[in-house]
Amino acid sequence: MLELAIMGFLYDAPLHGYELRKRITALTGHVRPVAESTLYPAIKRLEQAGLLERATEPGAVAAPRHVLTLTDDGRRELHRRLAEPVQRDITDENRWFTVLAFLRHLADPGAQSAVLRRRLAFLETPSSFFYDGDRPVRAEELDDPFRRGILTVARATTEAELAWLRATIDALDDAAG
Amino acid sequence: MLELAIMGFLYDAPLHGYELRKRITALTGHVRPVAESTLYPAIKRLEQAGLLERATEPGAVAAPRHVLTLTDDGRRELHRRLAEPVQRDITDENRWFTVLAFLRHLADPGAQSAVLRRRLAFLETPSSFFYDGDRPVRAEELDDPFRRGILTVARATTEAELAWLRATIDALDDAAG
DNA sequence: TTGATATACCTCGGAAGCGATGTATTCTCT
DNA sequence: AGAGAATACATCGCTTCCGAGGTATATCAA
């Protein structure tokens, strides 16, 4: 997920690590903060995999910067991860939001629509958080106010996302012809 | 998060690992599946920390079961983690839902209300996913339909949760007197 | 009788993440 | 002149998690 965000930001323009961190913090930091000790090893991993290159520049304000540029392999890898996300990127909201944040880099509306359809299929599959045996329990049946809250919030999220997904898939499919 | 779920389920009744896995899968499995190779080491960690005990029983159907029971220390630890969650348990929706799923074990309405207030404070803090410099960007301003989706869904979730939180906090504070 | 399925548990290697800590430089305020 | 904050990068040890694979028993259908 972090690697996806790094590649997604670098796709637009080369950045140095510190700036990258600020962008990632703005994107997901309030929900899931990114530690420097997570970011720098991730950059190193991507560099060793040949997905990005670093060039040292004198620091504009302080210490020297390592400006990171996505390689052609890196661009291909980003496209691959956006076009064929692993299932966890589809089901886990944090990961899914990261995919969405960069899905525009997948220029083809048909490919974008296909990714949204996977999320749609996941949300349309009946599922619950709580079961009485095999039977899913509805919010109204629960005595526990906290578990009721989980179901209430999840339902509101799902409904809003389904509406958005259906409208956006339609628009993309119109654009794809 | 996983440890919290294990302790939360065992708080009600002793269970063996396989049954525990089914319950955790029902709770969060569709969003974030739990691998056996994650569950069993977690059980071992909790056992070594003295938070649960295991007793071997002949298997009802197949291989022998290890029935897990929460110790007094385990009950205290669960209370501690529910009453004073780390900040990530408050901000990360997956973790927060796990806290909510077992918050009823914290018998005191005042303590429950205090935890909900922390989530309320987090949701009331203005934050966005996208910024133009320091200024948060609203959904309507975005050309990117995918980023617009993120903001649309996040807003619906936040509004539903705020309404539920305020109503539930009021009810708890009435109960606490 | 053979194979599939469900039950039930476990280990290993590696990936990924985090808190704590360290090292420099430059700018700004007092 | 000195302190503090911001910039900029990095390592270390630890925990958590996952995929792949392994072991064994019981049930049931072909």
Side-chain angles (χ1 to χ4, degrees), chain A residues 27-98:
Chain A
L27 181 64
T28 60
H30 58 290
V31 172
R32 197 187 180 85
V34 55
E36 293 195 355
S37 52
T38 305
L39 178 62
Y40 287 111
I43 289 172
K44 193 179 277 185
R45 281 200 302 277
L46 294 175
E47 190 191 10
Q48 281 169 355
L51 304 180
L52 58 80
E53 283 171 347
R54 82 172 73 193
T56 304
E57 276 185 14
V61 183
R65 295 164 164 180
H66 291 178
V67 176
L68 309 170
T69 309
L70 212 55
T71 63
D72 287 343
D73 273 359
R75 289 176 172 267
R76 270 191 292 274
E77 176 65 13
L78 177 63
H79 281 142
R80 201 188 58 72
R81 292 204 201 189
L82 289 173
E84 292 154 29
V86 297
Q87 191 58 18
R88 281 198 50 180
D89 289 345
I90 300 291
T91 62
D92 187 315
E93 196 169 341
N94 294 151
R95 289 172 169 264
W96 170 242
F97 274 12
T98 306

Side-chain angles (χ1 to χ4, degrees), chain A residues 93 123 127-129 136-142 147-163, chain B residues 30 93 97 153 156-157 160-161:
Chain A
E93 196 169 341
L123 289 183
S127 71
S128 181
F129 289 91
V137 175
R138 298 183 64 82
E140 296 75 15
E141 301 174 61
L142 286 170
R147 295 195 166 191
R148 210 148 76 190
I150 293 176
L151 292 184
T152 304
V153 172
R155 189 188 290 172
T157 304
T158 300
E159 274 167 24
E161 188 166 356
L162 282 174
Chain B
H30 57 290
E93 197 170 340
F97 274 13
V153 172
T157 302
E161 188 166 354

Side-chain angles (χ1 to χ4, degrees), chain B residues 16 18-19 22 56-67:
Chain B
H16 58 276
Y18 201 76
E19 175 63 25
K22 284 198 288 187
T56 304
E57 275 187 13
V61 183
R65 295 163 163 179
H66 290 179
V67 176

Side-chain angles (χ1 to χ4, degrees), chain B residues 11-26:
Chain B
Y11 193 90
D12 282 327
L15 296 170
H16 58 276
Y18 201 76
E19 175 63 25
L20 200 46
R21 185 175 178 236
K22 284 198 288 187
R23 305 241 179 149
I24 293 172
T25 298

Side-chain angles (χ1 to χ4, degrees), chain A residues 93 139 145-161, chain B residues 93 96-97 100 116 119-120 123-124 151-169:
Chain A
E93 196 169 341
F146 309 110
R147 295 195 166 191
R148 210 148 76 190
I150 293 176
L151 292 184
T152 304
V153 172
R155 189 188 290 172
T157 304
T158 300
E159 274 167 24
E161 188 166 356
Chain B
E93 197 170 340
W96 170 243
F97 274 13
L100 273 188
L116 297 194
R119 175 74 175 177
L120 182 65
L123 290 183
E124 281 176 338
L151 293 184
T152 304
V153 172
R155 191 187 291 170
T157 302
T158 300
E159 274 166 24
E161 188 166 354
L162 282 175
W164 171 78
L165 274 173
R166 290 181 181 129
T168 307
I169 289 170

